[in-house]
Structures are given as C-alpha cells and as structure tokens.
C-alpha cells in the first residue's frame, strides 16, 4: 500500500515466457517487479496506490482504502483522498477486481477507468544441488490497473465506466436501516413479560380440591 503513482508498466510487451525451473532442483529466493509510471493519465498528486498481491487479505485492503477515502483512520485530521488506484498482476488480478467492486458498494458515486497491460518480473532461483549457483529469469506477466475517483473523469478515456446505481441498498444504507429498526423495536424482555401477564389474565390457573 503506497501513495505513489509508480510500479506498473504502461507499454505492452509481448514476450514468450521462459520455461519454469524444476521445483525439485531449484527454489526461488528473490523476486522484483519493474518500476514504471501508471498507464492512466490525469492522476491526482495524492492518489492512493493499493498494490494487490496473490497473498493479500481483501478485508485488510478494503479497510485501509475505505478509511482513506472517507477521511477516517489514525490520522483523522487528514483530508480524504479522492482517487485510489488498485494494481495487480498474474494471480492477483481476480483479487484486484474483487476489491474494486466491493469498494464501489462501500463508497457511492465513484468513476472508474480500467487498463490492461504487461509487467516485467525478475525472479532469482537457487540450485538445490550446487551451492552459490543462482539463475535470474525475466518473465512478462499480464497486469491490471483500475482507478476509482470521486471527481468526474474523461468519459472518452478508454476503459471508462460511469458511477453505477446498485439495485439493492448500499452497506451504509443497510447499517442505518438496522439502527432505525433497533431503535423502534420494543425491548424483547419487556415484551416477553407483558405477554406472560396477558396469558395469565386470560387463562388463570385452575384450582383442584383434594
């Protein structure tokens, strides 16, 4: 999670991926991603950059992004950010899209721009049989970059989506509805006592002579 607009390749480079090293004889000891500007024009200076990885927890990402978009969190005096960018590559693409769709339900009225591209990843593999024998492999993997913005975006931009209107209530509306129903609902214990007294009045216990 960063506030910097970097780490994604804006160009599309089609390259054949080299064969993976055999897992039984080699193990990966290092991995680095290409650093390049984000392929989305007109980003705000304070854009929030959320890097989604394969092992990232969706609830942690959304908790942080939602708090920053709403101006909440540890630094409550900080102004809420108006733009957030989610980036993911490889197996993290599906998780990236999931984060975006959930955030759009949490924060209404977000404009969206989606870009597909490729990233270059360098992996360092170590031989399990020979000491100090390492191999560096360069792979080109697909990546996705999605911008969510409170401010209007250029509708002519490739990959633009206007704010969506969801048929069901948003999370904030559901929470407000639950509070209203709870406030207008009588106390359950009081209700149970009243019903018991009513039953006793209507159906008094019978007395038997011995």
């Amino acid at each position: 999670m960063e506030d910097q607009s970097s780490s994604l390749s804006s160009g599309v480079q089609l390259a054949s991926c080299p064969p993976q090293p055999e897992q039984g004889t080699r193990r990966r000891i290092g991995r680095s991603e290409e650093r390049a500007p984000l392929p989305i024009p007109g980003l705000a200076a304070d854009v929030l950059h959320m890097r989604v990885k394969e092992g990232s927890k969706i609830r942690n990402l959304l908790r942080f992004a939602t708090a920053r978009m709403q101006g909440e969190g540890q630094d409550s005096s900080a102004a809420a950010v108006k733009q957030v960018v989610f980036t993911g590559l490889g197996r993290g693409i599906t998780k990236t899209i999931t984060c975006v769709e959930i955030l759009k339900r949490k924060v209404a009225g977000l404009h969206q721009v989606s870009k597909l591209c490729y990233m270059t990843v360098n992996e360092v593999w170590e031989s399990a049989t020979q000491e100090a024998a390492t191999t560096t492999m360069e792979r080109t993997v697909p990546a996705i970059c999605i911008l969510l913005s409170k401010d209007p975006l250029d509708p002519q931009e490739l990959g633009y989506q206007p704010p969506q209107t969801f048929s069901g209530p948003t999370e904030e509306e559901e929470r407000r509805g639950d509070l209203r129903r709870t406030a207008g609902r009588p106390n359950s214990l009081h209700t149970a006592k009243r019903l018991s007294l009513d039953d006793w009045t209507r159906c008094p216990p019978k007395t038997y002579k011995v």
Side-chain angles (χ1 to χ4, degrees):
M1 294 176 289
E2 302 175 357
D3 291 343
Q4 302 175 356
S5 57
S6 60
S7 77
L8 197 64
S9 173
S10 58
V12 177
Q13 301 177 355
L14 297 177
S16 58
C17 297
Q20 290 284 351
E22 298 181 5
Q23 298 294 332
T25 59
R26 293 179 180 272
R27 62 185 183 91
R28 192 174 65 184
I29 61 175
R31 186 175 184 270
S32 61
E33 302 173 2
E34 180 185 11
R35 297 280 178 174
L38 295 172
I40 299 180
L43 292 175
D46 60 343
V47 60
L48 176 63
H49 186 190
M50 305 290 296
R51 299 180 61 193
V52 183
K53 299 182 180 180
E54 182 181 353
S56 300
K57 299 294 184 181
I58 293 180
R59 62 178 178 272
N60 296 338
L61 294 170
L62 290 175
R63 185 184 300 115
F64 182 83
T66 304
R68 291 296 305 275
M69 292 287 284
Q70 297 177 348
E72 301 173 354
Q74 296 179 354
D75 189 4
S76 57
S77 61
V81 297
K82 295 185 177 181
Q83 292 186 348
V84 57
V85 175
F86 285 87
T87 58
L89 69 157
R91 296 181 179 179
I93 291 180
T94 302
K95 188 170 293 187
T96 303
I97 298 175
T98 301
C99 290
V100 169
E101 294 301 321
I102 296 177
L103 185 60
K104 288 195 297 184
R105 286 186 172 271
K106 289 179 173 291
V107 183
L110 293 178
H111 299 259
Q112 176 178 338
V113 170
S114 303
K115 299 290 185 179
L116 296 175
C117 53
Y118 285 88
M119 286 185 63
T120 300
V121 178
N122 295 316
E123 297 179 345
V124 180
W125 293 78
E126 181 183 55
S127 175
T129 57
Q130 301 179 2
E131 295 183 358
T134 60
T135 303
T136 301
M137 303 183 62
E138 183 179 285
R139 298 195 310 138
T140 302
V141 297
I144 191 170
C145 179
I146 303 178
L147 167 65
L148 296 178
S149 175
K150 294 180 180 179
D151 296 332
L153 301 173
D154 183 7
Q156 302 301 324
E157 181 67 31
L158 185 63
Y160 171 79
Q161 295 183 27
Q164 298 181 6
T165 302
F166 299 98
S167 57
T170 62
E171 179 179 327
E172 184 176 357
E173 292 173 346
E174 291 180 351
R175 184 171 63 253
R176 291 179 179 177
D178 292 340
L179 292 176
R180 286 194 297 266
R181 287 191 294 269
T182 303
R185 186 182 305 158
N187 183 274
S188 58
L189 180 59
H190 176 73
T191 304
K193 289 181 178 180
R194 180 167 52 80
L195 291 177
S196 298
L197 291 175
D198 293 343
D199 293 341
W200 181 280
T201 304
R202 288 194 300 267
C203 302
K206 296 181 179 181
T207 303
Y208 297 92
K209 295 183 179 179
V210 178

